[in-house]
């Protein structure tokens, strides 16, 4: 089991009773994780060195020993143990020396005293008889640069303590804590977290630990942690061959500017995607709004699109033919934002009239109207974000007195907020991670605020240099896109709080401009701009790959693309909205041609709206 140092949570494992915290030692053997090692006359704490006669020490410029050992590990990973043994025997190289194999076995079998002895290099009589005399372990395992042997020892003893605690051997666990862990003086805060577990009732221990695995799985995790500190020449990281293949594929994806498929590249040949497959053409133009379009958002299943406008309405379309399903007209001021519930059955709309409204998507019926208890009615609701259960959401406002409100639709008083965060700041945009744990709020005062959704506690904020206008979370919730008024889009890691990418080129400074991740595997970053263009960057290498002519001039005289969103289920479709009151649908398809030309009827039948109530015009490619 394992302790999370930040949350003081423990991952515990059950284990059969044994004396002094260690599993009874089994006879040492050369098998490890299904890996069988051959023998060789000499060892260097990790590999044998017996180069076959007539063979170069390199293979096409690569170290032959490294290649062979990785191949042996890969064969064993795939279950070809006989082939691995033949390769080891023929090449003269083995995967790991007996001392490293013994360390692996000691960790996986819970023989903690032996694991410590091998780590530290102290010889034990019962172990010495099992290892060749020339196996070089006298100095202990060879560690990676900057590795801390004391930290490794702490992790081993922590595992021992936690396993004792899990099987309720409290006396022995206390002895390990006092006599083995405390003298290391390694991490006082961690020791305190461990000591508090002694008082945890057995029925609550695993719930508190959020543990649902086995002791074997926990020991494998420990071994992975320890292996990161051992020199790779001594102990190859698990699944290294597969890891290298992943690197090769990711490198090909990074070099392919238009990679837009969830299918990984083949190892057989170099990979490149055709630019013509990228959704760079305006296929349809929706013209139902009479005011600027401020927000567009696809449903999670990609089957519908919602658009919000300055004209106080929201339109909902289905995305097969883009027939308009509903026009929502209850707001008395501009609609600033729309947000789909995770199950796509409801939609919440936000308006400058200080109200948020929840609608049933199937019927278009208004279910509930919610109002911030605002002191100044000039401050509207700027954004909303749903919780994973589709029964709650958070609304944001510029009003410092009620800038964040959490609403629960299950509550008998659902018109009243379940929780209102302490006043004192404004919120321009808001998002909730897919797991429902974190609320991310954009404070216009150059701060990204992060709150724990269950405790409502605020975490240390992320400070940004520049005025921000919008945020968008990645699917996994690990990163956030932020549009800055200086004309840049930054991608920030929510764990490290670092800016890891900067996308430049788009124009911004006066209006709220939104961006989004795009593509089958979120390989792209797309943003609107105040110059009427849509900017598309390759996410990994930050290259600007497209500048698409987006929207014309609005009533203000500006050519402003305010909002973009990518269809989550159709990698070759995204939507944009602008001050020209239009919504464009971008695909990789050629737009319909004039009536009477070949292909018109096919395109019309498949993509055009037949109802007269929905006014749609088709545009040719802008490229």
């Amino acid at each position: 089991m394992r302790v999370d140092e930040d949350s003081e949570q423990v991952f515990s494992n059950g284990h059969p009773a044994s004396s002094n915290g260690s599993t009874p030692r089994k006879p040492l053997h050369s098998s490890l994780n299904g890996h069988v090692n051959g023998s060789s006359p000499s060892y260097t704490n990790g590999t044998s060195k017996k180069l076959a006669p007539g063979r170069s020490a390199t293979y096409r410029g690569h170290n032959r020993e490294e290649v062979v050992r990785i191949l042996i590990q890969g064969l064993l990973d795939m279950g070809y143990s006989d082939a691995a043994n033949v390769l080891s025997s023929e090449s003269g190289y083995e995967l790991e020396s007996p001392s490293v194999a013994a360390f692996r076995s000691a960790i996986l079998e819970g023989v903690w005293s032996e694991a410590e002895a091998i780590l530290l290099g102290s010889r034990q009589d019962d172990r010495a008889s099992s290892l060749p005399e020339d196996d070089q372990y006298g100095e202990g395992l060879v560690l990676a640069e900057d590795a801390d042997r004391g930290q490794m020892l702490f992790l081993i003893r922590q595992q021992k303590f936690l396993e004792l605690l899990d099987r309720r051997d409290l006396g022995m666990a206390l002895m390990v804590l006092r006599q083995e862990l405390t003298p290391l003086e390694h991490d006082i805060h961690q020791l305190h977290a461990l000591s508090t577990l002694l008082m945890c009732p057995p029925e609550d221990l695993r719930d508190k630990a959020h543990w649902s695995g086995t002791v074997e799985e926990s020991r494998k995790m420990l071994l992975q942690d320890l292996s990161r500190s051992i020199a790779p020449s001594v102990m190859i990281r698990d699944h290294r061959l597969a890891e290298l293949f992943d690197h090769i594929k990711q490198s090909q994806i990074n070099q392919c500017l238009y990679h837009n498929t969830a299918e990984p590249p083949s190892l057989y040949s170099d990979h490149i995607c055709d630019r013509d497959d990228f959704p760079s053409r305006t296929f349809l133009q929706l013209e139902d709004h009479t005011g600027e379009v401020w927000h567009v958002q696809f449903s999670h299943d990609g089957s519908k699109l919602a658009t919000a406008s300055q004209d106080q309405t929201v339109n909902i379309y289905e995305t097969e033919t883009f027939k308009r399903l509903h026009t929502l007209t209850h707001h008395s001021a501009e609609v600033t934002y729309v947000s789909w519930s995770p199950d796509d059955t409801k939609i919440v709309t936000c308006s400058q009239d200080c109200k948020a409204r929840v609608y049933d998507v199937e019927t278009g019926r208004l279910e509930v109207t919610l109002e911030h208890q605002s002191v100044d009615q000039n401050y509207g609701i700027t954004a909303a974000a749903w919780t994973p259960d589709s029964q709650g959401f958070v609304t944001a406002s510029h009003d410092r007195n009620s800038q964040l409100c959490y609403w629960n639709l299950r509550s008998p008083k659902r018109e009243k907020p379940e929780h209102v965060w302490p006043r004192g700041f404004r919120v321009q945009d808001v998002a909730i991670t897919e797991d429902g744990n974190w609320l991310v709020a954009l404070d216009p005062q150059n701060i990204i605020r992060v709150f724990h959704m269950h405790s409502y506690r605020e975490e240390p904020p992320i400070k940004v240099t520049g005025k921000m206008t919008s945020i968008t979370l990645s699917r996994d919730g690990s990163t956030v896109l932020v549009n800055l008024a200086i004309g840049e889009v930054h991608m920030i890691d929510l764990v490290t709080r670092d800016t890891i990418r900067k996308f430049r080129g788009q124009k911004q400074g006066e209006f709220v401009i939104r961006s989004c991740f795009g593509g089958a595997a979120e390989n792209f970053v797309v943003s609107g701009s105040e110059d009427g263009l849509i900017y598309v960057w390759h996410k990994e290498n930050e290259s600007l790959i497209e500048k698409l002519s987006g929207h014309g001039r609005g009533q203000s005289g500006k050519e402003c693309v305010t909002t973009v969103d990518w269809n989550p289920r159709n990698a070759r479709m995204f939507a944009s909205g602008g001050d020209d009151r239009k919504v464009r649908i971008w695909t990789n398809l050629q737009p319909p041609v004039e009536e009477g030309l070949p292909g018109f009827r096919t395109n019309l039948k498949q993509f055009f709206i037949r109802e007269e109530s929905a006014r749609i015009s088709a545009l040719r490619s802008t490229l």
Side-chain angles (χ1 to χ4, degrees):
M1 58 188 169
R2 203 161 305 281
V3 173
D4 185 320
E5 295 184 8
D6 293 327
S7 62
E8 297 188 0
Q9 292 178 336
V10 181
F11 296 82
S12 62
N13 300 288
H15 191 274
S18 64
S19 61
N20 77 33
S22 293
T23 302
R25 187 181 177 280
K26 299 178 182 178
L28 183 65
H29 51 78
S30 59
S31 174
L32 51 117
N33 278 356
H35 297 187
V36 181
N37 299 304
S39 59
S40 188
S42 64
Y43 303 88
T44 58
N45 203 14
T47 179
S48 60
K49 294 268 190 179
K50 187 183 73 173
L51 188 62
R55 290 202 175 116
S56 168
T58 62
Y59 165 70
R60 303 185 70 84
H62 303 285
N63 182 290
R64 181 179 293 270
E65 178 185 330
E66 291 183 0
V67 172
V68 171
R69 291 178 63 211
I70 290 172
L71 287 175
I72 292 172
Q73 186 195 59
L75 288 169
L76 291 168
D77 277 350
M78 291 184 284
Y80 303 128
S81 57
D82 291 342
N85 285 332
V86 170
L87 178 56
S88 179
S89 176
E90 185 175 355
S91 67
Y93 298 120
E94 66 175 4
L95 180 60
E96 293 173 346
S97 74
S99 63
V100 175
F103 180 75
R104 181 187 293 271
S105 295
I107 293 296
L108 295 178
E109 295 168 9
V111 188
W112 310 121
S113 58
E114 180 171 309
E116 289 188 19
I118 299 172
L119 172 64
L120 300 175
S122 57
R123 182 184 294 271
Q124 290 186 348
D125 292 340
D126 62 336
R127 192 168 64 88
S129 62
S130 302
L131 299 177
E133 288 298 325
D134 53 357
D135 189 29
Q136 300 175 14
Y137 58 89
E139 297 292 329
L141 293 178
V142 180
L143 302 188
E145 188 177 355
D146 298 327
D148 185 347
R149 207 177 297 267
Q151 164 73 8
M152 298 173 70
L153 189 61
F154 186 91
L155 291 176
I156 292 173
R157 293 180 179 180
Q158 175 181 264
Q159 179 80 14
K160 177 180 176 180
F161 166 78
L162 294 173
E163 288 190 16
L164 285 166
L165 186 63
D166 186 66
R167 63 177 183 261
R168 309 313 296 169
D169 192 345
L170 300 183
M172 189 61 66
L174 181 59
M175 186 185 72
V176 170
L177 181 66
R178 288 178 174 175
Q179 299 181 12
E180 299 184 28
L181 282 164
T182 302
L184 293 176
E185 298 181 346
H186 181 75
D187 189 331
I188 301 301
H189 296 292
Q190 184 78 340
L191 284 172
H192 174 72
L194 294 174
S195 65
T196 60
L197 298 175
L198 289 165
M199 304 302 295
C200 183
E203 64 272 14
D204 296 337
L205 183 61
R206 295 201 175 199
D207 287 338
K208 182 179 179 181
H210 297 282
W211 175 79
S212 58
T214 65
V215 66
E216 289 77 14
E217 292 169 343
S218 177
R219 290 175 181 175
K220 287 178 181 178
M221 290 176 60
L222 172 63
L223 185 63
Q224 289 178 3
D225 291 342
L226 295 171
S227 67
R228 296 187 183 98
S229 297
I230 300 174
S233 61
V234 172
M235 191 175 193
I236 302 174
R237 191 159 60 234
D238 285 349
H239 317 302
R240 181 58 177 162
L241 183 62
E243 192 177 66
L244 291 173
F245 288 156
D246 288 341
H247 291 332
I248 292 171
K249 291 182 177 181
Q250 189 59 52
S251 176
Q252 293 202 42
I253 290 172
N254 293 347
Q255 294 175 28
C256 177
L257 293 181
Y258 293 94
H259 186 79
N260 192 20
T261 173
E263 294 297 320
S266 170
L267 292 170
Y268 285 135
S269 61
D270 293 338
H271 170 78
I272 191 72
C273 286
D274 192 336
R275 180 176 180 269
D276 286 341
D277 289 335
F278 189 80
S280 57
R281 305 176 183 91
T282 298
F283 192 80
L284 295 177
Q285 185 166 277
L286 310 178
E287 300 181 349
D288 293 303
H289 285 297
T290 59
E292 297 171 0
V293 179
W294 285 0
H295 195 219
V296 298
Q297 190 176 94
F298 285 98
S299 59
H300 297 83
D301 64 6
S303 67
K304 298 178 181 65
L305 173 70
T307 63
S309 173
Q310 182 189 33
D311 66 9
Q312 305 179 14
T313 69
V314 171
N315 288 326
I316 298 178
Y317 303 88
E318 50 86 8
T319 57
E320 286 294 326
T321 64
F322 284 91
K323 171 186 175 182
R324 184 169 46 164
L325 302 177
H326 305 293
T327 297
L328 312 178
T329 60
H330 297 88
H331 286 292
S332 58
E334 299 93 334
V335 183
T336 56
Y337 198 91
V338 293
S339 182
W340 293 85
S341 63
D343 63 7
D344 290 330
T345 63
K346 293 179 283 293
I347 191 170
V348 59
T349 62
C350 306
S351 173
Q352 294 281 38
D353 63 9
C354 296
K355 295 180 176 65
R357 290 174 168 86
V358 180
Y359 293 88
D360 178 89
V361 171
E362 183 176 358
T363 64
R365 180 175 60 86
L366 175 63
E367 291 194 344
V368 62
T369 299
L370 309 169
E371 183 174 4
H372 279 221
Q373 297 301 312
S374 180
V375 175
D376 189 338
Q377 294 299 313
N378 292 321
Y379 291 130
I381 298 179
T382 56
W386 288 85
T387 55
D389 62 0
S390 297
Q391 295 299 319
F393 57 90
V394 173
T395 52
S397 172
H398 281 166
D399 191 335
R400 294 178 181 273
N401 298 295
S402 58
Q403 73 281 352
L404 280 175
C405 296
Y406 169 53
W407 311 85
N408 185 358
L409 297 181
R410 290 194 181 100
S411 171
K413 298 181 179 180
R414 58 182 184 172
E415 294 83 3
K416 300 294 184 181
E418 184 110 335
H419 179 76
V420 178
W421 274 263
R423 64 184 63 186
F425 57 94
R426 296 173 177 172
V427 177
Q428 171 64 37
D429 206 351
V430 68
I432 295 176
T433 55
E434 195 171 271
D435 59 12
N437 289 330
W438 303 103
L439 171 69
V440 183
L442 189 157
D443 183 336
Q445 298 301 314
N446 305 345
I447 295 174
I448 299 175
R449 298 182 182 272
V450 181
F451 300 89
H452 194 280
M453 271 299 294
H454 304 296
S455 66
Y456 309 125
R457 182 188 69 246
E458 183 172 7
E459 299 295 315
I462 303 171
K463 296 183 179 180
V464 180
T465 56
K467 181 181 178 181
M468 300 172 288
T469 64
S470 65
I471 57 173
T472 303
L473 281 174
S474 61
R475 291 175 192 165
D476 62 7
S478 64
T479 56
V480 61
L481 282 182
V482 181
N483 276 62
L484 282 84
I486 58 174
E488 295 182 355
V489 181
H490 290 187
M491 188 167 78
I492 299 173
D493 188 309
L494 288 179
V495 177
T496 65
R497 309 302 177 91
D498 296 327
T499 298
I500 55 178
R501 302 279 191 280
K502 291 184 179 181
F503 307 96
R504 299 181 172 93
Q506 52 96 254
K507 305 299 186 293
Q508 190 173 344
E510 189 174 352
F511 303 107
V512 173
I513 303 294
R514 299 188 181 278
S515 61
C516 69
F517 292 99
E522 294 193 329
N523 296 325
F524 310 107
V525 169
V526 189
S527 178
S529 180
E530 292 182 11
D531 59 4
L533 301 177
I534 295 170
Y535 287 73
V536 184
W537 297 270
H538 189 281
K539 186 181 73 173
E540 293 302 324
N541 59 34
E542 304 176 32
S543 300
L544 178 63
I545 63 174
E546 292 289 349
K547 290 198 299 184
L548 307 176
S549 293
H551 293 261
R553 295 185 185 277
Q555 292 178 333
S556 64
K558 298 286 187 178
E559 292 181 324
C560 188
V561 183
T562 56
T563 177
V564 291
D565 194 44
W566 206 287
N567 191 317
R569 295 299 176 88
N570 185 346
R572 291 177 173 83
M573 177 188 289
F574 72 90
S576 63
D579 283 3
D580 60 358
R581 301 172 292 181
K582 297 177 177 63
V583 175
R584 288 193 178 199
I585 307 301
W586 300 81
T587 73
N588 65 329
L589 300 170
Q590 290 291 342
V593 293
E594 295 180 9
E595 187 171 6
L597 294 181
F600 174 75
R601 293 185 182 279
T602 300
N603 286 330
L604 181 68
K605 179 179 179 181
Q606 185 174 1
F607 293 105
F608 258 53
I609 298 176
R610 301 179 181 179
E611 281 70 19
E612 295 181 357
S613 62
R615 294 165 289 143
I616 293 182
S617 63
L619 301 181
R620 294 184 181 275
S621 173
T622 59
L623 301 180

